[in-house]
Amino acid sequence: MIHRFDVVVVGSGAGGGACAHALVQAGLDVCLLEEGQRVPRQDQTTRPSEMVSKLYRGAGATTILGRPNIQYVEGRTVGGSTLINGGMCWRTPEGVLQRWVERLADPSLAPEAMTPLFEEVERENGVALQDPESLGLDNLAFRDAALALGWSLRENRRNQRHCAGTNHCILGCPTGAKQSTLESYIPRFEAAGGTLLASTRALSLQRFGGKVGGVFVTAAEGGRRSLIEARAVVLCAGSTYTPMLLWNSGLQNPHLGRHLHLHPTLKTIGLYDRPMVMWKGVHQSHQVTEFIEKEGILLASGSVPPSILAMGVPGFGREHAELMAQYDKMLVIGAMVEDTTTGRIRRLFGHPIPTYFLTQLDLVRIKRALDLTLTMHRAAGARKVLLPLHHLPVVDLDEGPSLLAAHEIDPSEIELMTVHLMGTCRMGRDRHEGVVDSRGKVFGYGNLFVADASVFPTHLGVNPMETIWVLARRTANRILEHREEILGVGRSVPRRSSTSDKKKH
Amino acid sequence: MIPVLPSLLRALLRSFFEVLQPRSEVFPFSLEDELLVSSERYLANFPRFFTWGLTLALLGLNIATSALLLRPVTFRGLPLSEREALCQRWSASRFMPLREVMRLLKILAVMGFYEHPRVMEAMGYRPDEWIAEVSRRRLETYGEEIDR
């Protein structure tokens, strides 16, 4: 007899972990699929070249095409991007939630209605401030510079249990303090009887008109395709792969793959006369909030191992070596910019190709963000600053601001990156406005849901993990509240695949 | 099992690594062989066509050198200083695909270089020692709470 799960959840990151955990705790038979492998704590090493192959999609060499090309990274491992992120946890800003309420005509998204959900996921994931001893010299320099300038600042709330400040967040967490889903939801999910299938790639969905019957999968390294049957499916594969799965399943929607927001991020590296030793201390401890509301710019420091930082240091050969020899006296300040435009995901031979073009307004914001990071470096006492600009790679602080002001930035010369891809299956009131409704149900399908950052109807302006958790929890709650209707418990689901599915596969 | 890169690609990569790898009094190391090994390991993550594409791109640059310098010479055959000048030029090119190839080569060169134990030692970068120290401290201070 073929086993049919109540729910198959695709993707084990923030959305998949939170959703699968809630469903299995309520007694459902849940299968959690993850394309990447499971890399337990003891196998997480300090060698980036080894870990990016195991933890990152495309070994970290993933690019959004446009002007400029923007590097992006996402997790492809049990735990998804929660295993490789900095663990910053912020509730969705109230203003954003209010906009969503108006846009979606759903009062249950209002801040006061969402508060209990935020509190719940924060409890489950150990969201807390850092212990003071885990702050490094670079964290303190960043904080003190902001205080000296009189800029508003907040201490990071992170999903961690007494983070030791090993600063290896981007390669996992060797102590297990960071509560990625690998450490939080997934062990509890498995203890409650959930089934985790790692190294298993979801290819497409089995569809019957307005329902899905399961997920076609294969081993991550290839092989025979097989079907995992389910009464409902929740896609949490992220903003690039969730739309791909829907396309590959023959789903049509004019908004699918569109409305891609990025939070483009730039970094500047200050060279100092005093030690910063960025590898000792937490990855990021504070954020400058002074410019979020009016200018859409968030400033933060961020520490990474030398072999990763070196990729963004200008030059090569002797020039590069002389700069990198100062690694212990470097402070990295990054700026995350709320974008005013959107990109999209396109399909090429069954693979997602993100494209995105900066607008003039975004360029102005990026220039302003660069100037703000220079101001912070000056306040922190830097000598020189390395900029992410091909034609202005290094500036002395005395002349830096004026050089930058006079420099006309060509979009193709900026080095940007992002870890926040959002909005490619956005929520809407109906299928003319979006791909899913305000609780994640795909329009036109009774038992198909999306619960990841792709459902965001707008950008957030803050790190998105906590928003993903609560939206995934809302989706899980919806399945549980309507389980008779959605799962069809007691009714048989048709077993024969449709003609279109047969053709496709 | 790490697939072996085509010998042509290895030879081309080596000629670029000789230029791109960091070198100074602080890092007086020539690590081309080690960089080839780490590149081989990293490139194994990508589909085979990616390696072919890289080989073609480097072969193209190797041959295009003679057109750029207006004399019959390949990139591999140039002295280091001339290769450096060409790499500078290509890295700052307005032609995006060329810049991307140079970016990939730089990533391969610096990722392997700064992970090498001799380089880490020269930098005073000892993450494993630090992790062991703070992990121990964490358990001493918060062990009971963490175990709950």
Side-chain angles (χ1 to χ4, degrees):
Chain A
M1 185 177 165
I2 295 173
H3 183 77
R4 181 184 297 153
F5 289 96
D6 288 330
V7 183
V8 169
V9 177
V10 180
S12 65
C19 187
H21 171 258
L23 294 172
V24 85
Q25 292 291 337
L28 297 191
D29 184 13
V30 182
C31 175
L32 180 57
L33 298 178
E34 170 54 52
E35 185 182 358
Q37 59 186 304
R38 186 175 199 142
V39 185
R41 194 187 310 168
Q42 62 272 19
D43 294 344
Q44 295 166 16
T45 73
T46 54
R47 289 177 62 87
S49 65
E50 186 186 340
M51 296 314 295
V52 293
S53 307
K54 290 181 178 174
L55 305 181
Y56 285 67
R57 182 173 298 289
T62 37
T63 302
I64 297 162
L65 299 180
R67 195 159 178 265
N69 286 348
I70 298 174
Q71 195 206 349
Y72 75 98
V73 292
E74 57 184 18
R76 180 179 172 269
T77 179
V78 172
S81 294
T82 67
L83 189 57
I84 56 165
N85 70 10
M88 275 61 81
C89 298
W90 300 110
R91 296 184 181 186
T92 322
E94 292 197 357
V96 172
L97 285 176
Q98 291 294 2
R99 281 201 293 278
W100 290 5
V101 168
E102 288 160 23
R103 191 166 176 158
L104 301 164
D106 181 352
S108 71
L109 283 165
E112 57 277 17
M114 296 282 274
T115 299
L117 280 176
F118 284 123
E119 288 169 351
E120 196 178 335
V121 296
E122 286 167 3
R123 223 174 14 252
E124 289 170 350
N125 290 281
V127 176
L129 300 175
Q130 285 292 128
D131 294 320
E133 69 271 20
S134 65
L135 270 55
L137 294 174
D138 62 324
N139 305 130
L140 298 174
F142 178 85
R143 180 199 65 186
D144 294 345
L147 291 175
L149 290 163
W151 291 352
S152 58
L153 182 79
R154 64 186 176 196
E155 274 184 79
N156 274 342
R157 289 151 39 88
R158 300 177 66 241
N159 54 331
Q160 46 86 26
R161 298 178 71 201
H162 299 296
C163 164
T166 64
N167 190 20
H168 266 75
C169 295
I170 66 164
L171 306 178
C173 182
T175 64
K178 184 170 73 176
Q179 297 297 288
S180 66
T181 59
L182 178 68
E183 299 286 346
S184 62
Y185 285 130
I186 288 171
R188 289 177 227 153
F189 166 80
E190 290 181 304
T195 304
L196 170 71
L197 295 179
S199 304
T200 305
R201 176 181 296 152
L203 299 172
S204 61
L205 308 172
Q206 186 191 42
R207 292 190 302 127
F208 316 99
K211 280 206 168 250
V212 291
V215 182
F216 289 106
V217 299
T218 184
E221 65 271 20
R224 271 191 67 186
R225 187 174 66 103
S226 56
L227 175 68
I228 297 178
E229 293 196 24
R231 295 185 170 89
V233 174
V234 185
L235 299 180
C236 311
S239 287
T240 52
Y241 272 78
T242 290
M244 276 311 303
L245 277 169
L246 292 172
W247 270 321
N248 289 347
S249 311
L251 192 131
Q252 307 273 330
N253 184 296
H255 298 281
L256 198 53
R258 292 180 180 269
H259 317 299
L260 172 68
H261 281 287
L262 293 186
H263 286 166
T265 302
L266 58 90
K267 71 170 188 303
T268 56
I269 304 169
L271 305 180
Y272 291 76
D273 288 325
R274 60 194 166 111
M276 291 291 173
V277 202
M278 67 170 91
W279 51 283
K280 292 183 175 180
V282 64
H283 170 71
Q284 186 191 105
S285 64
H286 292 81
Q287 295 183 339
V288 168
T289 54
E290 179 82 15
F291 309 98
I292 294 183
E293 196 66 33
K294 287 189 178 153
E295 301 186 69
I297 298 169
L298 176 75
L299 301 173
S301 65
S303 316
V304 290
S307 59
I308 301 288
L309 188 79
M311 298 172 191
V313 169
F316 49 80
R318 173 168 287 277
E319 179 191 5
H320 194 274
E322 284 172 356
L323 289 170
M324 279 302 294
Q326 303 171 62
Y327 176 70
D328 270 357
K329 294 181 178 176
M330 287 179 174
L331 169 64
V332 180
I333 298 182
M336 189 176 91
V337 176
E338 287 178 22
D339 42 3
T340 59
T341 186
T342 60
R344 61 187 288 195
I345 306 292
R346 296 166 194 270
R347 258 193 313 175
L348 187 67
F349 304 123
H351 292 281
I353 307 291
T355 59
Y356 184 93
F357 294 85
L358 283 180
T359 62
Q360 198 56 39
L361 181 55
D362 290 329
L363 264 183
V364 171
R365 278 190 176 175
I366 282 168
K367 194 165 181 177
R368 167 72 173 146
L370 278 172
D371 192 45
L372 290 172
T373 63
L374 284 184
T375 306
M376 279 203 86
H377 280 301
R378 181 195 290 271
R383 281 184 290 111
K384 286 186 174 189
V385 178
L386 312 183
L387 299 177
L389 300 173
H390 289 298
H391 303 305
L392 190 60
V394 187
V395 291
D396 282 321
L397 267 173
D398 292 336
E399 54 182 8
S402 56
L403 278 178
L404 183 64
H407 183 73
E408 194 166 324
I409 297 178
D410 179 332
S412 63
E413 72 161 318
I414 316 168
E415 288 209 4
L416 297 174
M417 64 92 62
T418 182
V419 289
H420 301 162
L421 281 76
M422 306 163 273
T424 54
C425 297
R426 77 175 184 190
M427 296 191 277
R429 274 182 288 197
D430 56 40
R431 70 183 312 279
H432 301 294
E433 288 184 0
V435 177
V436 301
D437 69 16
S438 63
R439 292 185 73 182
K441 190 178 82 65
V442 176
F443 290 119
Y445 290 82
N447 62 346
L448 176 59
F449 300 84
V450 177
D452 57 29
S454 70
V455 304
F456 294 179
T458 63
H459 59 68
L460 297 186
V462 296
N463 308 68
M465 182 163 64
E466 190 162 342
T467 304
I468 301 172
W469 284 336
V470 296
L471 293 183
R473 184 55 60 88
R474 278 167 55 89
T475 300
N477 289 347
R478 186 214 184 113
I479 293 172
L480 295 171
E481 286 160 17
H482 302 277
R483 70 169 79 183
E484 289 287 317
E485 177 196 337
I486 292 169
L487 303 180
V489 176
R491 288 181 291 149
S492 65
V493 175
R495 303 287 282 273
R496 195 168 47 80
S497 62
S498 68
T499 315
S500 64
D501 287 324
K502 280 183 178 171
K503 272 183 194 165
K504 190 166 288 300
H505 304 294
Chain B
M1 179 67 188
I2 298 165
V4 176
L5 293 177
S7 56
L8 176 62
L9 180 55
R10 288 179 68 91
L12 291 167
L13 278 175
R14 175 184 286 277
S15 66
F16 278 92
F17 286 161
E18 284 167 0
V19 180
L20 296 175
Q21 74 166 314
R23 56 186 181 283
S24 70
E25 291 71 28
V26 184
F27 308 124
F29 317 118
S30 281
L31 300 177
E32 293 89 359
D33 289 332
E34 289 85 346
L35 296 185
L36 281 172
V37 172
S38 65
S39 300
E40 203 154 46
R41 200 179 292 133
Y42 186 69
L43 290 171
N45 292 296
F46 300 98
R48 188 58 63 89
F49 69 79
F50 187 85
T51 314
W52 295 341
L54 182 61
T55 309
L56 280 177
L58 297 192
L59 200 55
L61 290 177
N62 194 43
I63 294 167
T65 301
S66 63
L68 286 170
L69 299 182
L70 299 174
R71 64 179 203 264
V73 67
T74 60
F75 181 81
R76 283 171 63 192
L78 287 175
L80 195 64
S81 59
E82 286 193 72
R83 275 185 277 161
E84 269 184 2
L86 275 179
C87 283
Q88 291 279 12
R89 185 168 163 184
W90 290 335
S91 299
S93 166
R94 291 198 174 268
F95 183 52
M96 183 268 283
L98 181 52
R99 272 209 323 270
E100 289 296 310
V101 170
M102 293 307 296
R103 194 166 72 98
L104 174 65
L105 291 173
K106 179 173 170 178
I107 287 172
L108 293 176
V110 300
M111 191 155 68
F113 188 86
Y114 290 107
E115 270 185 29
H116 195 279
R118 286 164 68 191
V119 176
M120 286 167 61
E121 192 54 41
M123 294 178 81
Y125 175 62
R126 300 181 191 92
D128 292 315
E129 282 176 27
W130 171 249
I131 289 169
E133 183 190 328
V134 291
S135 299
R136 182 182 43 76
R137 216 186 295 155
R138 171 177 181 254
L139 290 175
E140 281 171 6
T141 315
Y142 303 109
E144 278 184 24
E145 193 184 329
I146 291 166
D147 286 340
R148 275 204 298 273

